[in-house]
Structure formats: C-alpha cells, structure tokens
Amino acid sequence: MEDNKLMGTVTVSDRAVMQIASNAAKSCSGVMGMSEKTRAGGAVRAVSGKSTAGVYIRKTKSGVSLEVYIACGYGAYTKALSETVRDKVKASFDWTGITIKEVSVHINDVR
C-alpha cells in the first residue's frame, strides 16, 4: 500500500491567493496597511480589514505574478521594506504548491 499517491486535485481560488499575499505583506514591520492601485493622478484609497484589495494577480503558464500595493510608515527605508515584503509574500506560498514567479511591490501611500 502506497500512501504517497495523490488522489485528486487541489484548487486554490484567486481570492485565497490574494488573502495569503495581503496577510503576508501586512505582517511585515513598516507596512501600515494595504492600498489600492490607482490611475496616474488618482487619489490613493486606504484599505482596511480582511480585504483582498491591494493585491492583483496575473497568471501565466510559468506561474503566478503578484502586484502588491502597500502603505508604509513615515521614515521607512523603502528599498529594504519592499524587499522584505517581496520575500515574505513569496515565502508565504511555499506550503501551497503555487509557483510565484514574481512579486512587484508598489508603495503608494505613507501613513
């Protein structure tokens, strides 16, 4: 008897992927919250609660690319913060089996 065989498939919804990424980003020190993607010159809107706003998915054959929009705290070293968020978001998918090809971090608000 072999217990190592997979019996079926597992599907992770886009909403679940966005929640995982959002929770990972918000857990980073220096991230004050999520914000939304805006058009040039548009007002930045803060996002609160357990929303998936602030995370956008692009699927390709080679994996998933994520865009994460955050608000940082005043005085945060943005280069280090964006690298931390990128690494934490990518690592948060290790247990899912989802290949995260790229994580783009956008800081478009300071609180």
Side-chain angles (χ1 to χ4, degrees):
M1 176 169 34
E2 290 184 36
D3 291 331
N4 296 345
K5 290 187 178 182
L6 291 177
M7 305 298 283
T9 60
V10 175
T11 303
V12 180
S13 72
D14 288 354
R15 182 171 171 76
V17 169
M18 291 187 294
Q19 286 176 329
I20 292 167
S22 176
N23 289 338
K26 288 187 282 189
S27 73
C28 295
S29 179
V31 174
M32 305 309 288
M34 304 303 288
S35 59
E36 286 197 336
K37 185 178 189 176
T38 60
R39 286 181 263 152
V44 173
R45 192 175 78 136
V47 178
S48 60
K50 294 190 176 196
S51 172
T52 58
V55 179
Y56 300 87
I57 300 175
R58 192 173 54 250
K59 297 178 190 175
T60 65
K61 290 181 181 180
S62 61
V64 175
S65 294
L66 300 173
E67 288 187 49
V68 179
Y69 289 78
I70 62 170
C72 70
Y74 178 76
Y77 182 50
T78 57
K79 182 178 184 215
L81 179 59
S82 63
E83 289 171 357
T84 299
V85 170
R86 183 192 66 228
D87 294 345
K88 182 101 179 209
V89 168
K90 261 187 133 169
S92 69
F93 286 92
D94 288 348
W95 61 274
T96 65
I98 298 171
T99 301
I100 303 297
K101 186 175 97 177
E102 175 185 23
V103 177
S104 298
V105 178
H106 304 270
I107 301 171
N108 62 355
D109 194 10
V110 177
R111 298 184 192 157

